[in-house]
Amino acid sequence: MGKIKVGILGSTGSVGQRYVNMLRDHPWFEVVALSASESSVGKKYREAAKWVLDSEIPEGMAEMRIVKAIPSEMKGSGAEIVFSALPSEVARRTELDMAEAGLFVVADTSAHRMDPDVPLLIPEVNFEHLAAIEEQRKRRSGFIVTGPNCTTIGLAITLKPIQIEFGIRRVLVSTMQALSGAGFFGVPSMAILDNLIPFIKNEEEKVASELLKILGSYKGGRFENAGIKVGASCHRVCVLDGHTEAVFLETEKHASAEEIAKCMADFSSEPQRLRLPSAPERPIIVRNEPDRPQPRLDRLSGTPERAKGMATVVGRIRKESALENGIKYVLLSHNTIRGAAGNAILAAECLKGKGII
Ligand code: NAP
């Protein structure tokens, strides 16, 4: 059987480059269209992209010409799936146009994350939310599946096994977020070197609202939020890739630190059962050293090779006596791999693995 043809919107940006890199030699998908803004249209990919990854641009894609972000270009190239890494303000209309033209859109953008018929998908956490696609198909021939904000994703993955085994009442998180999370032109070097910025616009609100949708249920054609209290404080730090988060939570049932570590380390889900190509063998890696996880050492965790950067690394799991049934830990998640392109590619694999496309 031939590979499924895919296009990438926003292919030259911080997340777009991750797509290009992760889709090289993909066993199921073949990139046939690369798109970016008007100023890049017509240029070869290697001229349009300010390539920042430490591998070469995949050979087949370096010479491809950038096309416009419109459905006719995607369909004309033969693409069935369109990965979207557009700025959110552009994404809202463009992603809808693509879905209405019959394309399957898998988006990293925030534009449609909270729509009542759009799954906000982390394949290991809420694959059953894919049922919402049926609702969309009553209105359009294609559909949109989104992935969460890069800060929410590692948090949701680590909370899921705790939610299943012990229940969760309250979660507080303080983040230390990497520069690549703000996009290629996001934070000027003069603002961040020797510094930390204790504010990321709209981030704290997104963490709370997205987490509740993801950890909630999909029943009778609608999403129902999880009944968990969530508070976040988000900060930009001088790290290239990899978001670190200090998490504090109250469980419903009492749990020891060892029980929490075990349920995280044992966690596996639908992508692992389906043996999807980008699924990490262990979605959560628990480290016992007192000084881990660290971005430089742990951000590319995950096996097999295709799942490098897809595992969430957790350390310093311990009791928190200031909370009732309190637990605290530190997590690290690669923001442009697990937090964006990698999660979306895994979502597309999940769509194929479950026979939706
Ligand atoms: P970025 O580095 O600024 O890249 C933006 C991309 O969109 C570039 O390819 C740019 O093309 C293209 N673009 C800009 N305006 C356009 C237009 N009017 N029409 C078509 N294409 C246009 O941004 P990013 O960090 O990759 O983020 C992309 C999206 O992913 C955002 O919605 C962001 O919120 C989301 N996201 C990012 C992360 C992360 O860790 N960075 C994680 C999760 C989600 P040119 O090169 O031609 O300008």
Side-chain angles (χ1 to χ4, degrees), residues 304-347:
E305 182 66 21
R306 188 163 287 286
K308 272 177 91 169
M310 290 293 283
T312 304
V313 185
V314 173
R316 308 208 63 220
I317 302 172
R318 58 226 194 270
K319 292 291 290 177
E320 173 52 72
S321 57
L323 296 172
E324 204 185 327
N325 285 345
I327 289 287
K328 58 186 171 185
Y329 60 88
V330 178
L331 72 84
L332 174 78
S333 172
H334 196 303
N335 53 295
T336 58
I337 300 181
R338 182 76 233 207
N343 190 68
I345 293 169
L346 188 61

Side-chain angles (χ1 to χ4, degrees), residues 10 12-15 36-37 40 85-87 90 108-109 150 180-181 183-184 335-336 339-340:
T12 52
S14 194
V15 175
S37 74
S40 302
L86 290 170
V90 186
D108 288 307
T109 67
C150 45
S180 59
F184 190 76
N335 53 295
T336 58

